[in-house]
Amino acid sequence: MYIAMNRFTVRPENAEAFEALWLGRDSHLKDMEGFVEFHMLKGPEVEGTILYASHTVWASEDAFRGWTRSTAFREAHKNAGSTAKLYEGSPTFEGFSTIQHIV
């Protein structure tokens, strides 16, 4: 398994719009080979910002890389530049290979 995460720092006054953006978009993930699941996570408010993380689980890193090169990825991210004002700085990407999985 491979876990891909992007962390976003959002000011409280932008939180509602940021959440609406994510809840209302078509991610195009469900049709991708190797896609397992997606979570959008909301963390605590600390020092005037709220931490959010998009958390996607893939069957493998190759499946994730295939997603990033796909037409579906480009379609899902086509308006990303226009929504950047909702969060501080750039999203922070973190990719993880699974070394243990307990169910």
Coordinates of all heavy atoms in Angstrom, one line a residue:
M1 N 0.8 -1.2 0.0 CA 0.0 0.0 0.0 C 0.9 1.2 0.0 O 2.0 1.2 0.5 CB -0.9 0.0 1.2 CG -2.2 -0.5 1.0 SD -3.3 -0.2 2.4 CE -4.2 -1.7 2.4
Y2 N 0.3 2.3 -0.5 CA 1.0 3.6 -0.5 C 0.0 4.7 -0.1 O -1.2 4.6 -0.5 CB 1.5 3.9 -2.0 CG 2.3 5.2 -2.1 CD1 3.6 5.2 -1.6 CD2 1.7 6.3 -2.6 CE1 4.3 6.4 -1.7 CE2 2.5 7.5 -2.7 CZ 3.8 7.5 -2.2 OH 4.5 8.7 -2.3
I3 N 0.4 5.5 0.8 CA -0.5 6.6 1.3 C 0.1 7.9 0.8 O 1.3 8.2 1.0 CB -0.6 6.6 2.8 CG1 -1.2 5.2 3.2 CG2 -1.4 7.8 3.3 CD1 -1.2 5.0 4.7
A4 N -0.8 8.7 0.2 CA -0.4 10.0 -0.3 C -1.2 11.1 0.4 O -2.4 11.0 0.5 CB -0.7 10.2 -1.8
M5 N -0.5 12.1 1.0 CA -1.2 13.1 1.8 C -0.7 14.5 1.3 O 0.5 14.7 1.0 CB -0.8 12.9 3.3 CG -1.3 11.7 3.9 SD -0.9 11.4 5.6 CE -1.7 12.8 6.3
N6 N -1.6 15.4 1.3 CA -1.3 16.8 1.2 C -1.9 17.6 2.4 O -3.0 17.4 2.7 CB -2.0 17.4 -0.1 CG -1.2 17.1 -1.3 OD1 0.0 17.6 -1.4 ND2 -1.7 16.4 -2.3
R7 N -1.0 18.4 3.0 CA -1.4 19.1 4.2 C -1.7 20.6 3.7 O -0.9 21.1 3.0 CB -0.4 19.1 5.3 CG -0.3 17.7 5.9 CD 0.6 17.7 7.1 NE 2.0 18.0 6.7 CZ 2.8 18.8 7.4 NH1 2.5 19.3 8.5 NH2 4.0 19.0 6.9
F8 N -2.8 21.2 4.2 CA -3.2 22.5 3.9 C -3.3 23.3 5.3 O -3.9 22.8 6.2 CB -4.5 22.6 3.2 CG -4.5 21.8 1.9 CD1 -4.8 20.4 1.9 CD2 -4.3 22.5 0.7 CE1 -4.8 19.7 0.7 CE2 -4.4 21.8 -0.5 CZ -4.6 20.4 -0.5
T9 N -2.9 24.5 5.3 CA -3.1 25.4 6.4 C -4.1 26.4 6.1 O -3.9 27.2 5.1 CB -1.7 26.0 6.8 OG1 -0.8 25.0 7.1 CG2 -1.9 26.9 8.1
V10 N -5.2 26.5 6.8 CA -6.3 27.3 6.4 C -6.7 28.3 7.6 O -6.8 27.8 8.7 CB -7.6 26.4 6.1 CG1 -8.8 27.3 5.7 CG2 -7.2 25.5 4.9
R11 N -6.9 29.5 7.3 CA -7.4 30.5 8.3 C -8.9 30.2 8.6 O -9.6 29.8 7.7 CB -7.2 31.9 7.8 CG -5.8 32.3 7.6 CD -5.6 33.8 7.6 NE -4.2 34.2 7.4 CZ -3.3 34.2 8.4 NH1 -3.7 33.9 9.6 NH2 -2.1 34.6 8.2
P12 N -9.3 30.3 9.8 CA -10.7 30.0 10.2 C -11.7 30.7 9.3 O -12.7 30.1 9.0 CB -10.8 30.5 11.6 CG -9.4 30.4 12.1 CD -8.5 30.8 11.0
E13 N -11.5 31.9 8.9 CA -12.5 32.6 8.0 C -12.6 32.0 6.6 O -13.6 32.2 5.9 CB -12.1 34.1 7.9 CG -10.8 34.4 7.3 CD -9.6 34.6 8.3 OE1 -9.7 34.1 9.4 OE2 -8.7 35.2 7.9
N14 N -11.6 31.1 6.2 CA -11.7 30.4 4.9 C -12.1 29.0 5.1 O -12.3 28.3 4.1 CB -10.4 30.5 4.2 CG -10.0 31.9 3.8 OD1 -10.9 32.7 3.6 ND2 -8.7 32.2 3.8
A15 N -12.3 28.5 6.3 CA -12.6 27.1 6.5 C -13.8 26.6 5.9 O -13.9 25.5 5.2 CB -12.6 26.8 8.0
E16 N -14.9 27.3 6.0 CA -16.2 26.9 5.4 C -16.1 26.8 3.9 O -16.5 25.8 3.3 CB -17.3 27.9 5.8 CG -18.7 27.5 5.3 CD -19.8 28.4 5.8 OE1 -19.6 29.1 6.8 OE2 -20.8 28.5 5.1
A17 N -15.5 27.8 3.2 CA -15.3 27.7 1.7 C -14.3 26.6 1.3 O -14.6 25.9 0.3 CB -14.8 29.1 1.2
F18 N -13.3 26.4 2.1 CA -12.3 25.3 1.8 C -13.0 24.0 1.9 O -12.9 23.1 1.0 CB -11.2 25.4 2.8 CG -10.1 24.4 2.6 CD1 -9.1 24.6 1.6 CD2 -10.0 23.2 3.3 CE1 -8.1 23.6 1.4 CE2 -9.1 22.2 3.1 CZ -8.1 22.5 2.1
E19 N -13.8 23.7 3.0 CA -14.5 22.5 3.1 C -15.5 22.3 2.0 O -15.7 21.2 1.5 CB -15.2 22.4 4.5 CG -14.1 22.3 5.6 CD -14.8 22.3 7.0 OE1 -16.0 22.0 7.1 OE2 -14.0 22.6 8.0
A20 N -16.3 23.3 1.7 CA -17.3 23.2 0.6 C -16.6 22.9 -0.7 O -17.2 22.1 -1.5 CB -18.0 24.6 0.5
L21 N -15.4 23.4 -1.0 CA -14.7 23.1 -2.2 C -14.4 21.6 -2.3 O -14.7 20.9 -3.3 CB -13.4 23.9 -2.2 CG -12.4 23.5 -3.3 CD1 -12.9 24.0 -4.7 CD2 -11.0 24.0 -3.0
W22 N -13.9 21.0 -1.2 CA -13.6 19.6 -1.2 C -14.8 18.7 -1.2 O -14.8 17.7 -1.9 CB -12.7 19.3 0.0 CG -11.3 19.7 -0.2 CD1 -10.7 20.9 0.0 CD2 -10.2 18.9 -0.8 NE1 -9.4 20.9 -0.4 CE2 -9.1 19.7 -0.9 CE3 -10.2 17.6 -1.3 CZ2 -7.9 19.3 -1.4 CZ3 -9.0 17.2 -1.8 CH2 -7.9 18.0 -1.9
L23 N -15.8 19.1 -0.4 CA -17.0 18.3 -0.4 C -17.8 18.3 -1.7 O -18.6 17.3 -1.9 CB -17.9 18.7 0.8 CG -17.2 18.5 2.2 CD1 -18.1 19.2 3.3 CD2 -17.0 17.0 2.5
G24 N -17.7 19.3 -2.5 CA -18.5 19.5 -3.7 C -17.8 19.1 -5.0 O -18.4 19.1 -6.0
R25 N -16.5 18.7 -4.9 CA -15.8 18.4 -6.1 C -15.8 17.0 -6.5 O -16.0 16.1 -5.7 CB -14.3 18.9 -6.0 CG -13.4 18.0 -5.2 CD -12.0 18.6 -5.0 NE -11.2 17.5 -4.5 CZ -10.1 17.1 -5.2 NH1 -9.8 17.6 -6.3 NH2 -9.4 16.1 -4.7
D26 N -15.7 16.7 -7.8 CA -15.6 15.3 -8.3 C -14.1 15.0 -8.4 O -13.4 15.6 -9.2 CB -16.2 15.2 -9.6 CG -16.2 13.8 -10.2 OD1 -15.7 12.9 -9.5 OD2 -16.8 13.6 -11.3
S27 N -13.6 14.1 -7.5 CA -12.2 13.8 -7.5 C -11.7 12.9 -8.6 O -10.5 12.8 -8.9 CB -11.9 13.2 -6.1 OG -12.5 11.9 -6.1
H28 N -12.6 12.2 -9.2 CA -12.3 11.2 -10.3 C -11.5 10.1 -9.8 O -10.9 9.3 -10.6 CB -11.6 11.9 -11.5 CG -12.4 13.0 -12.1 ND1 -13.4 12.8 -13.0 CD2 -12.4 14.4 -11.9 CE1 -13.9 14.0 -13.3 NE2 -13.3 14.9 -12.7
L29 N -11.4 9.8 -8.5 CA -10.6 8.8 -7.9 C -11.2 7.4 -8.1 O -10.5 6.4 -8.3 CB -10.3 9.0 -6.5 CG -9.4 10.2 -6.1 CD1 -9.5 10.5 -4.6 CD2 -8.0 9.9 -6.5
K30 N -12.5 7.3 -8.0 CA -13.1 5.9 -7.9 C -12.9 5.1 -9.1 O -12.9 3.9 -9.1 CB -14.6 6.1 -7.7 CG -15.0 6.6 -6.3 CD -16.4 6.6 -6.1 CE -16.8 7.0 -4.7 NZ -18.2 7.0 -4.4
D31 N -12.6 5.7 -10.3 CA -12.4 4.9 -11.5 C -10.9 4.6 -11.7 O -10.6 3.9 -12.7 CB -12.9 5.7 -12.7 CG -14.4 5.9 -12.6 OD1 -15.1 5.1 -12.1 OD2 -14.9 7.0 -13.0
M32 N -10.0 5.0 -10.8 CA -8.6 4.8 -11.0 C -8.2 3.4 -10.5 O -8.5 3.0 -9.4 CB -7.8 5.9 -10.3 CG -8.0 7.3 -10.9 SD -7.6 7.4 -12.6 CE -5.9 6.9 -12.6
E33 N -7.4 2.8 -11.4 CA -6.8 1.5 -11.0 C -5.9 1.7 -9.8 O -5.1 2.5 -9.8 CB -6.1 0.9 -12.2 CG -5.6 -0.5 -11.9 CD -4.9 -1.2 -13.1 OE1 -5.3 -0.8 -14.2 OE2 -4.1 -2.1 -12.9
G34 N -6.1 0.8 -8.8 CA -5.2 0.9 -7.6 C -5.7 1.8 -6.5 O -5.2 1.8 -5.4
F35 N -6.8 2.6 -6.8 CA -7.3 3.5 -5.7 C -8.0 2.6 -4.7 O -8.8 1.7 -5.0 CB -8.3 4.5 -6.3 CG -9.1 5.2 -5.3 CD1 -8.5 6.2 -4.5 CD2 -10.5 4.9 -5.1 CE1 -9.3 6.9 -3.6 CE2 -11.2 5.6 -4.1 CZ -10.6 6.6 -3.4
V36 N -7.8 2.9 -3.4 CA -8.4 2.2 -2.3 C -9.4 3.0 -1.5 O -10.5 2.7 -1.4 CB -7.3 1.6 -1.3 CG1 -7.9 0.9 -0.1 CG2 -6.3 0.7 -2.1
E37 N -8.9 4.2 -1.0 CA -9.9 5.1 -0.3 C -9.3 6.5 -0.2 O -8.1 6.7 -0.3 CB -10.2 4.5 1.1 CG -9.0 4.4 2.0 CD -9.4 3.7 3.3 OE1 -10.5 3.2 3.5 OE2 -8.5 3.6 4.2
F38 N -10.2 7.4 0.2 CA -9.8 8.8 0.3 C -10.5 9.3 1.6 O -11.6 9.0 1.9 CB -10.3 9.6 -0.9 CG -10.1 11.1 -0.7 CD1 -8.9 11.7 -1.0 CD2 -11.1 11.9 -0.2 CE1 -8.7 13.1 -0.8 CE2 -10.9 13.3 0.0 CZ -9.7 13.8 -0.3
H39 N -9.7 10.1 2.3 CA -10.3 10.9 3.5 C -9.8 12.3 3.4 O -8.6 12.6 3.1 CB -9.7 10.3 4.8 CG -10.0 8.8 5.0 ND1 -11.2 8.4 5.6 CD2 -9.4 7.7 4.6 CE1 -11.2 7.1 5.7 NE2 -10.1 6.7 5.0
M40 N -10.7 13.2 3.7 CA -10.2 14.6 3.9 C -10.3 14.8 5.4 O -11.4 14.7 6.0 CB -11.1 15.6 3.2 CG -10.7 17.1 3.4 SD -9.0 17.3 3.2 CE -8.9 18.5 1.9
L41 N -9.2 15.2 6.0 CA -9.1 15.3 7.5 C -9.0 16.7 7.9 O -8.4 17.5 7.3 CB -7.9 14.5 8.0 CG -7.7 13.1 7.4 CD1 -6.4 12.5 7.8 CD2 -8.8 12.2 8.0
K42 N -9.7 17.0 9.1 CA -9.6 18.3 9.7 C -9.0 18.2 11.0 O -9.4 17.5 11.9 CB -11.0 18.9 9.8 CG -11.1 20.3 10.4 CD -12.5 20.9 10.4 CE -12.5 22.3 11.0 NZ -13.9 22.8 11.0
G43 N -7.9 19.0 11.2 CA -7.2 19.0 12.5 C -7.7 20.1 13.4 O -8.6 20.8 13.1
P44 N -6.9 20.3 14.4 CA -7.2 21.4 15.4 C -6.9 22.8 14.8 O -6.0 22.9 14.0 CB -6.4 21.0 16.6 CG -5.2 20.4 16.0 CD -5.7 19.6 14.8
E45 N -7.5 23.8 15.4 CA -7.0 25.2 15.2 C -5.9 25.5 16.2 O -6.0 25.3 17.4 CB -8.2 26.1 15.4 CG -7.8 27.6 15.1 CD -9.0 28.5 15.2 OE1 -10.1 28.1 15.1 OE2 -8.7 29.7 15.4
V46 N -4.8 25.9 15.6 CA -3.6 26.2 16.4 C -3.0 27.5 15.9 O -2.8 27.7 14.7 CB -2.5 25.1 16.3 CG1 -1.3 25.5 17.1 CG2 -3.1 23.8 16.8
E47 N -2.9 28.5 16.8 CA -2.3 29.8 16.4 C -2.9 30.4 15.2 O -2.2 30.9 14.3 CB -0.8 29.6 16.2 CG 0.0 29.2 17.5 CD 1.5 29.0 17.3 OE1 2.0 29.4 16.3 OE2 2.1 28.5 18.2
G48 N -4.2 30.4 15.2 CA -5.0 31.1 14.1 C -5.1 30.4 12.8 O -5.5 31.0 11.8
T49 N -4.7 29.1 12.7 CA -4.9 28.4 11.5 C -5.4 27.0 11.8 O -5.3 26.5 12.9 CB -3.6 28.2 10.6 OG1 -2.6 27.5 11.4 CG2 -3.1 29.6 10.2
I50 N -6.1 26.4 10.8 CA -6.6 25.0 10.9 C -5.8 24.1 9.9 O -5.7 24.5 8.8 CB -8.1 24.9 10.6 CG1 -8.9 25.9 11.5 CG2 -8.6 23.5 10.7 CD1 -10.3 26.1 11.1
L51 N -5.4 23.0 10.4 CA -4.7 22.0 9.6 C -5.6 21.0 8.9 O -6.5 20.4 9.6 CB -3.6 21.3 10.4 CG -2.8 20.2 9.6 CD1 -2.0 20.9 8.5 CD2 -1.9 19.4 10.6
Y52 N -5.6 20.9 7.6 CA -6.4 19.9 6.9 C -5.4 19.0 6.2 O -4.3 19.4 5.8 CB -7.3 20.6 5.8 CG -8.5 21.3 6.4 CD1 -8.3 22.6 6.8 CD2 -9.7 20.7 6.5 CE1 -9.4 23.3 7.3 CE2 -10.8 21.4 7.0 CZ -10.6 22.7 7.4 OH -11.7 23.4 7.8
A53 N -5.8 17.8 5.9 CA -5.0 16.8 5.2 C -5.8 16.0 4.3 O -6.8 15.4 4.7 CB -4.1 15.9 6.1
S54 N -5.5 15.9 3.0 CA -6.1 15.0 2.1 C -5.3 13.7 2.2 O -4.1 13.7 2.2 CB -6.2 15.5 0.7 OG -4.9 15.6 0.1
H55 N -6.0 12.6 2.4 CA -5.3 11.3 2.7 C -5.8 10.2 1.7 O -7.0 9.9 1.8 CB -5.6 10.9 4.2 CG -5.1 9.7 4.7 ND1 -5.7 8.5 4.5 CD2 -4.0 9.4 5.3 CE1 -5.0 7.5 5.0 NE2 -4.0 8.0 5.6
T56 N -5.0 9.8 0.8 CA -5.4 8.8 -0.2 C -4.6 7.6 -0.1 O -3.4 7.6 0.0 CB -5.3 9.4 -1.6 OG1 -5.8 10.7 -1.7 CG2 -6.0 8.6 -2.7
V57 N -5.3 6.4 -0.1 CA -4.7 5.1 0.0 C -4.7 4.5 -1.4 O -5.8 4.4 -2.0 CB -5.3 4.2 1.1 CG1 -4.7 2.9 1.1 CG2 -5.4 4.9 2.4
W58 N -3.6 4.0 -1.8 CA -3.4 3.3 -3.1 C -2.9 1.9 -2.9 O -2.2 1.6 -1.9 CB -2.5 4.1 -4.0 CG -3.0 5.5 -4.3 CD1 -2.8 6.6 -3.5 CD2 -3.8 5.8 -5.4 NE1 -3.5 7.7 -4.1 CE2 -4.1 7.2 -5.3 CE3 -4.3 5.1 -6.4 CZ2 -4.9 7.9 -6.2 CZ3 -5.1 5.8 -7.4 CH2 -5.4 7.2 -7.2
A59 N -3.1 1.1 -3.8 CA -2.6 -0.3 -3.8 C -1.1 -0.3 -3.9 O -0.5 -1.2 -3.3 CB -3.2 -1.2 -4.9
S60 N -0.5 0.7 -4.5 CA 1.0 0.7 -4.7 C 1.4 2.1 -5.0 O 0.5 3.0 -5.5 CB 1.4 -0.2 -5.8 OG 0.9 0.2 -7.0
E61 N 2.6 2.4 -4.9 CA 3.1 3.7 -5.3 C 3.0 3.9 -6.8 O 2.7 5.0 -7.3 CB 4.6 3.9 -4.9 CG 5.1 5.3 -5.2 CD 6.5 5.6 -4.7 OE1 7.1 4.7 -4.0 OE2 7.0 6.7 -5.0
D62 N 3.2 2.8 -7.6 CA 3.0 2.9 -9.0 C 1.5 3.3 -9.4 O 1.3 4.1 -10.3 CB 3.3 1.5 -9.7 CG 4.8 1.3 -9.8 OD1 5.6 2.2 -9.6 OD2 5.2 0.1 -10.0
A63 N 0.6 2.8 -8.6 CA -0.8 3.2 -8.9 C -1.0 4.7 -8.6 O -1.7 5.4 -9.4 CB -1.8 2.4 -8.0
F64 N -0.4 5.2 -7.6 CA -0.5 6.6 -7.3 C 0.2 7.4 -8.4 O -0.4 8.4 -8.8 CB 0.2 6.9 -5.9 CG 0.4 8.4 -5.7 CD1 -0.7 9.2 -5.4 CD2 1.6 8.9 -5.8 CE1 -0.5 10.6 -5.3 CE2 1.8 10.3 -5.6 CZ 0.7 11.1 -5.3
R65 N 1.4 7.0 -8.8 CA 2.1 7.7 -9.9 C 1.2 7.7 -11.2 O 1.2 8.7 -11.9 CB 3.4 7.1 -10.1 CG 4.4 7.2 -8.9 CD 4.9 8.6 -8.7 NE 5.6 8.6 -7.4 CZ 5.7 9.7 -6.6 NH1 5.1 10.8 -6.9 NH2 6.4 9.6 -5.5
G66 N 0.6 6.6 -11.4 CA -0.3 6.6 -12.6 C -1.4 7.6 -12.5 O -1.8 8.2 -13.5
W67 N -2.0 7.7 -11.3 CA -3.0 8.8 -11.1 C -2.5 10.2 -11.4 O -3.1 10.9 -12.0 CB -3.5 8.6 -9.6 CG -4.1 9.9 -9.0 CD1 -3.5 10.6 -8.0 CD2 -5.3 10.6 -9.3 NE1 -4.3 11.6 -7.6 CE2 -5.4 11.7 -8.4 CE3 -6.3 10.4 -10.2 CZ2 -6.5 12.5 -8.5 CZ3 -7.3 11.2 -10.3 CH2 -7.4 12.3 -9.4
T68 N -1.3 10.5 -10.9 CA -0.7 11.8 -11.1 C -0.4 12.1 -12.6 O -0.3 13.3 -12.9 CB 0.5 12.0 -10.3 OG1 1.6 11.2 -10.7 CG2 0.3 11.8 -8.8
R69 N -0.3 11.1 -13.4 CA -0.1 11.3 -14.9 C -1.4 11.2 -15.7 O -1.3 11.3 -16.9 CB 1.0 10.3 -15.3 CG 2.3 10.5 -14.7 CD 3.4 9.6 -15.3 NE 3.1 8.2 -15.1 CZ 3.6 7.5 -14.1 NH1 4.4 8.0 -13.2 NH2 3.3 6.2 -13.9
S70 N -2.5 11.0 -15.0 CA -3.7 10.7 -15.8 C -4.5 11.9 -16.2 O -4.4 13.0 -15.6 CB -4.6 9.8 -14.9 OG -5.2 10.5 -13.8
T71 N -5.4 11.7 -17.1 CA -6.3 12.8 -17.5 C -7.3 13.1 -16.3 O -7.6 14.3 -16.1 CB -7.2 12.3 -18.7 OG1 -6.2 12.0 -19.8 CG2 -8.1 13.4 -19.2
A72 N -7.7 12.1 -15.6 CA -8.5 12.3 -14.4 C -7.9 13.2 -13.4 O -8.6 14.0 -12.8 CB -8.9 10.9 -13.8
F73 N -6.6 13.0 -13.2 CA -5.9 13.9 -12.2 C -5.9 15.4 -12.7 O -6.2 16.3 -12.0 CB -4.4 13.4 -12.1 CG -3.6 14.3 -11.2 CD1 -3.5 14.0 -9.9 CD2 -2.8 15.4 -11.7 CE1 -2.7 14.8 -9.0 CE2 -2.1 16.2 -10.9 CZ -2.0 15.9 -9.5
R74 N -5.6 15.6 -14.0 CA -5.7 16.9 -14.6 C -7.1 17.5 -14.4 O -7.2 18.7 -14.1 CB -5.2 16.9 -16.0 CG -3.7 16.7 -16.1 CD -3.1 16.9 -17.5 NE -3.6 15.9 -18.5 CZ -3.1 14.7 -18.6 NH1 -2.2 14.3 -17.8 NH2 -3.6 13.9 -19.5
E75 N -8.1 16.7 -14.7 CA -9.5 17.2 -14.6 C -9.8 17.6 -13.1 O -10.4 18.6 -12.9 CB -10.4 16.1 -15.1 CG -11.9 16.5 -15.1 CD -12.2 17.6 -16.1 OE1 -11.5 17.8 -17.0 OE2 -13.2 18.3 -15.8
A76 N -9.4 16.7 -12.2 CA -9.7 17.0 -10.8 C -9.0 18.2 -10.2 O -9.4 18.8 -9.3 CB -9.3 15.8 -9.9
H77 N -7.8 18.6 -10.8 CA -7.0 19.7 -10.3 C -7.0 20.9 -11.2 O -6.3 21.8 -11.0 CB -5.6 19.2 -10.1 CG -5.4 18.2 -9.0 ND1 -5.6 16.9 -9.3 CD2 -5.1 18.3 -7.7 CE1 -5.4 16.2 -8.1 NE2 -5.2 17.1 -7.2
K78 N -7.9 20.9 -12.2 CA -7.9 22.0 -13.2 C -8.1 23.4 -12.6 O -7.7 24.4 -13.2 CB -8.9 21.7 -14.3 CG -10.4 21.8 -13.9 CD -11.3 21.5 -15.0 CE -12.7 21.4 -14.6 NZ -13.6 21.0 -15.6
N79 N -8.8 23.5 -11.5 CA -9.1 24.8 -10.9 C -8.2 25.1 -9.7 O -8.5 26.0 -8.9 CB -10.6 25.0 -10.6 CG -11.4 24.9 -11.8 OD1 -11.1 25.5 -12.8 ND2 -12.6 24.3 -11.7
A80 N -7.2 24.3 -9.4 CA -6.4 24.4 -8.2 C -5.8 25.8 -8.0 O -5.8 26.3 -6.9 CB -5.3 23.4 -8.2
G81 N -5.4 26.4 -9.1 CA -4.8 27.8 -9.0 C -5.7 28.8 -8.5 O -5.4 29.7 -7.7
S82 N -7.0 28.7 -8.8 CA -8.0 29.7 -8.4 C -8.5 29.5 -7.0 O -9.1 30.4 -6.4 CB -9.2 29.6 -9.4 OG -9.9 28.4 -9.3
T83 N -8.2 28.4 -6.4 CA -8.6 28.1 -5.0 C -7.5 28.3 -4.0 O -7.7 28.2 -2.8 CB -9.2 26.7 -4.9 OG1 -8.2 25.8 -5.2 CG2 -10.4 26.5 -5.8
A84 N -6.3 28.6 -4.5 CA -5.1 28.8 -3.6 C -5.3 29.9 -2.6 O -4.7 29.8 -1.5 CB -3.9 29.0 -4.4
K85 N -6.2 30.8 -2.8 CA -6.4 31.9 -1.8 C -7.0 31.4 -0.6 O -7.1 32.1 0.4 CB -7.2 33.0 -2.5 CG -8.6 32.6 -2.9 CD -9.4 33.7 -3.5 CE -10.8 33.3 -3.8 NZ -11.0 32.6 -5.1
L86 N -7.6 30.2 -0.6 CA -8.3 29.6 0.6 C -7.3 29.1 1.6 O -7.7 28.8 2.8 CB -9.3 28.5 0.2 CG -10.4 29.0 -0.7 CD1 -11.3 27.8 -1.1 CD2 -11.2 30.1 0.0
Y87 N -6.1 28.8 1.3 CA -5.1 28.3 2.2 C -3.8 29.0 2.1 O -3.5 29.8 1.2 CB -4.9 26.8 2.0 CG -4.6 26.4 0.5 CD1 -3.3 26.4 0.0 CD2 -5.6 26.0 -0.3 CE1 -3.0 26.0 -1.3 CE2 -5.4 25.6 -1.6 CZ -4.1 25.6 -2.1 OH -3.8 25.3 -3.4
E88 N -3.0 28.9 3.2 CA -1.7 29.6 3.3 C -0.6 28.8 2.6 O -0.4 27.6 2.8 CB -1.4 29.7 4.8 CG -2.4 30.4 5.6 CD -2.7 31.9 5.2 OE1 -1.7 32.6 5.1 OE2 -3.8 32.2 4.9
G89 N 0.2 29.5 1.8 CA 1.3 28.9 1.1 C 0.9 27.8 0.2 O -0.2 27.8 -0.4
S90 N 1.8 26.8 0.0 CA 1.5 25.7 -0.9 C 1.2 24.4 -0.1 O 1.6 24.3 1.1 CB 2.7 25.3 -1.7 OG 3.1 26.4 -2.6
P91 N 0.3 23.5 -0.6 CA 0.1 22.3 0.1 C 1.4 21.5 0.3 O 2.3 21.6 -0.5 CB -0.8 21.5 -0.8 CG -1.3 22.4 -1.8 CD -0.4 23.6 -1.9
T92 N 1.5 20.8 1.4 CA 2.7 20.1 1.7 C 2.4 18.6 1.4 O 1.6 18.0 2.0 CB 3.1 20.2 3.2 OG1 3.4 21.6 3.4 CG2 4.4 19.4 3.5
F93 N 3.1 18.0 0.4 CA 2.9 16.6 0.0 C 3.8 15.7 0.9 O 4.9 16.0 1.1 CB 3.3 16.4 -1.5 CG 3.2 14.9 -1.8 CD1 1.9 14.3 -2.1 CD2 4.3 14.1 -1.9 CE1 1.8 13.0 -2.4 CE2 4.2 12.8 -2.2 CZ 3.0 12.2 -2.4
E94 N 3.2 14.6 1.2 CA 3.9 13.5 2.0 C 3.5 12.2 1.4 O 2.3 11.9 1.3 CB 3.6 13.6 3.5 CG 4.1 14.9 4.1 CD 3.6 15.1 5.5 OE1 2.4 14.7 5.8 OE2 4.4 15.5 6.3
G95 N 4.4 11.4 1.0 CA 4.1 10.0 0.5 C 4.7 9.0 1.4 O 5.8 9.1 1.8
F96 N 3.9 7.9 1.6 CA 4.4 6.9 2.5 C 4.2 5.5 2.0 O 3.1 5.2 1.5 CB 3.6 6.9 3.9 CG 3.8 8.2 4.6 CD1 2.9 9.3 4.4 CD2 4.8 8.4 5.5 CE1 3.0 10.5 5.0 CE2 5.0 9.6 6.2 CZ 4.1 10.7 5.9
S97 N 5.2 4.7 2.0 CA 5.0 3.2 1.7 C 4.7 2.5 3.0 O 5.3 2.8 4.1 CB 6.3 2.7 1.1 OG 6.7 3.3 -0.1
T98 N 3.8 1.6 2.9 CA 3.4 0.9 4.1 C 4.3 -0.2 4.5 O 4.7 -1.0 3.6 CB 2.0 0.2 3.9 OG1 1.1 1.3 3.5 CG2 1.4 -0.5 5.1
I99 N 4.8 -0.3 5.7 CA 5.6 -1.3 6.2 C 4.9 -2.3 7.1 O 5.4 -3.4 7.4 CB 6.9 -0.8 6.9 CG1 6.6 0.0 8.1 CG2 7.7 0.0 5.9 CD1 7.8 0.3 9.0
Q100 N 3.7 -1.9 7.6 CA 2.9 -2.7 8.4 C 1.5 -2.3 8.3 O 1.2 -1.1 8.2 CB 3.3 -2.7 9.9 CG 2.5 -3.6 10.7 CD 2.9 -3.6 12.2 OE1 3.2 -2.5 12.7 NE2 2.9 -4.7 12.9
H101 N 0.5 -3.3 8.2 CA -0.9 -3.0 8.0 C -1.6 -4.0 8.9 O -1.6 -5.2 8.7 CB -1.3 -3.1 6.6 CG -2.7 -2.9 6.3 ND1 -3.4 -3.5 5.3 CD2 -3.6 -2.1 7.0 CE1 -4.7 -3.0 5.3 NE2 -4.8 -2.2 6.3
I102 N -2.4 -3.5 9.9 CA -3.1 -4.4 10.8 C -4.6 -4.0 10.6 O -5.0 -2.9 10.7 CB -2.7 -4.1 12.3 CG1 -1.2 -4.5 12.4 CG2 -3.6 -5.0 13.2 CD1 -0.6 -4.0 13.8
V103 N -5.4 -5.0 10.4 CA -6.8 -4.8 10.2 C -7.6 -5.6 11.2 O -7.1 -6.6 11.8 CB -7.4 -5.1 8.8 CG1 -6.9 -4.1 7.9 CG2 -7.0 -6.5 8.4

